Amino acid sequence: MKILLVTRGSQGDIYPYLAVAIELQWRGHTVTLSLPQLFEKQAHKAGVNYQLQDFDDIGGMIDGAAETKQQTKHMLAWMRRVIDMQFEQLIPLLQEHDLLITSNTEFAAASLAEYCGKPVVRTAFAPFIPGKKIPPPIMPFPKPHPVFRPAFLWKVLNIGTNLMVKQTVNKNRVAKGMEPISNFGIHAVSKAENYLMYSRYLGSTDPDWPYDWTISGYCFNDSFRYNEAAYNELMDFIRADSRPTLFFTLGSCNDKHRDRFCSWLLDICRGNGYKLVIGSGWSDTGSSLAGDRQVYRLTEAIPHSLVFPGCAAVIHHGGCGTTHSVARTGVPQMVVPLLLDQPYWNYRVSRLGVAPPG
């Protein structure tokens, strides 16, 4: 089978898709992975067939949002531009394939598959399926709320999503001779096989979902190539003495108080005999502590499976991949959620008793 995979975003979005592409290729399928230009080196090292996207300059989007005071307006313009360019660039590519696999953030996916007459698998790293029991993981209420019921919150989310993307999607659908859609959220989930890429033991599912869905478990990518010198340097820091190591990261996220938080953590570590490792991520977290001998700033991407076993505890942003990686390792964790599905994973690990409330 010829399979087209499309994903965008940060490392937490790209690395699982690299693992899927490698596995599908190993099973004898012909695979093309469409991904942002920022990750060309990783795709090349993985040995998969790939095509770079012109429509997702993720680095430029982040820089632009940080520089402008009108961040929401900037993000919406970027999102609509991505949808336009996906209709232009992905249709010829999909016509050469038998199946489309995309993340739930690909707003044009269901329409592209419909136009090309191909089946589509919609993946998600949280329960992004409308229902009556589980609130939208992207909203401020990742747990059941006594007043705002899940079905109501899904309706609110659909209204917001329709305002953001429906007009752009319908403009392109009409241009391609397709009927406009009335509700984007329902259309996206009902026209696809929904494939949940998280653990049934950490995440939640609703058996009454009226859509096609499967849950697979998280797709760990433990085999991507990394800087061995940086890894050895990190392990030398961890093993230098008997003091336990605390790991802190915000992943690819940004926050204006990130370095202040690092300073607080360092003071706590000093007072309790810990060392501190900071995963700097895209936002260069912990840059103000550069040079401090009690701190190691990890600026390279290294598999979590190699790093976390050497740590006494991990404080992190609550991304799906980081949450699953810490839970798999078995070390204590605490989530400091910032956006998107991170409050959901904070709620889940605290409810399951594997972490305190973030």
Side-chain angles (χ1 to χ4, degrees), residues 56-113:
D56 187 12
D57 173 19
I58 185 68
M61 182 275 289
I62 293 173
D63 293 340
E67 293 170 0
T68 178
K69 294 181 179 179
Q70 297 178 314
Q71 293 188 18
T72 301
K73 185 177 180 180
H74 174 88
M75 292 287 288
L76 287 174
W78 172 80
M79 186 185 305
R80 291 162 181 164
R81 185 171 65 252
V82 166
I83 293 171
D84 285 338
M85 296 184 73
Q86 283 186 329
F87 272 91
E88 177 183 339
Q89 297 176 16
L90 290 182
I91 285 178
L93 190 58
L94 180 55
Q95 288 173 332
E96 299 174 359
H97 292 76
D98 304 313
L99 172 68
L100 173 64
I101 301 177
T102 73
S103 61
N104 64 295
T105 54
E106 304 307 320
F107 299 114
S111 295
L112 297 175

Side-chain angles (χ1 to χ4, degrees), residues 136-216:
I138 198 173
M139 295 186 73
F141 309 113
K143 57 185 177 182
H145 191 274
V147 177
F148 303 113
R149 308 309 297 170
F152 170 77
L153 293 173
W154 278 107
K155 287 182 180 179
V156 172
L157 179 61
N158 279 338
I159 291 172
T161 307
N162 282 332
L163 289 173
M164 289 189 296
V165 304
K166 188 176 76 170
Q167 181 178 1
T168 307
V169 170
N170 279 340
K171 176 191 69 176
N172 285 279
R173 286 179 63 89
V174 171
K176 296 295 183 182
M178 294 187 287
E179 292 291 327
I181 57 177
S182 59
N183 188 314
F184 170 80
I186 299 302
H187 179 265
V189 73
S190 64
K191 297 298 182 180
E193 169 69 32
N194 298 279
Y195 196 67
L196 307 177
M197 296 173 67
Y198 57 85
S199 168
R200 66 178 68 247
Y201 303 105
L202 279 187
S204 51
T205 58
D206 180 355
D208 295 329
W209 276 330
Y211 308 102
D212 293 331
W213 65 276
T214 305
I215 184 168
S216 66

Side-chain angles (χ1 to χ4, degrees), residues 51 64-65 85 121 131 190 200 222 224 232 236 242 246 279 323 354:
Q51 285 211 4
M85 296 184 73
V121 175
S190 64
R200 66 178 68 247
D222 297 328
F224 69 84
N232 291 330
D236 287 343
S242 61
L246 177 66
T323 302
V354 298

Side-chain angles (χ1 to χ4, degrees), residues 7-25:
T7 186
R8 298 179 294 120
S10 64
Q11 292 173 347
D13 304 287
I14 307 303
Y15 284 160
Y17 262 64
L18 280 170
V20 170
I22 292 170
E23 177 68 18
L24 290 173
Q25 193 169 270

